[in-house]
Amino acid sequence: FPVTIGPEIYEGDILRRKDGTTDGVVVFECGCFIVKHFKGDSDYISSVNHFEVIGNIHDNPELLDKP
């Protein structure tokens, strides 16, 4: 079953920062949820209000093909 970290955000979701600067995938690592950005860096999810869900790895695999 999905692991929830906040309202409507789950492990495997593809998120975009609301300021449009970066996209990434929600993963659970080292006991916490993080966003692994397609640019190679990662962020702790300190506030779900900074992100919007644009898809997930199961229904939208084409979003994973970011450079």
Side-chain angles (χ1 to χ4, degrees):
F1 61 89
V3 179
T4 183
I5 58 168
E8 301 179 36
I9 295 181
Y10 298 89
E11 185 175 19
D13 279 350
I14 301 171
L15 304 183
R16 174 172 291 145
R17 281 190 164 280
K18 287 189 176 177
D19 63 8
T21 58
T22 187
D23 296 347
V25 177
V26 178
V27 297
F28 188 76
E29 281 187 5
C30 301
C32 60
F33 289 97
I34 62 171
V35 179
K36 284 204 159 200
H37 299 292
F38 298 132
K39 295 188 290 184
D41 56 341
S42 59
D43 275 329
Y44 291 104
I45 301 178
S46 57
S47 173
V48 296
N49 296 328
H50 294 138
F51 298 95
E52 62 181 331
V53 177
I54 60 170
N56 66 62
I57 60 173
H58 306 289
D59 296 332
N60 310 99
E62 70 279 2
L63 295 176
L64 298 174
D65 295 332
K66 296 263 183 183

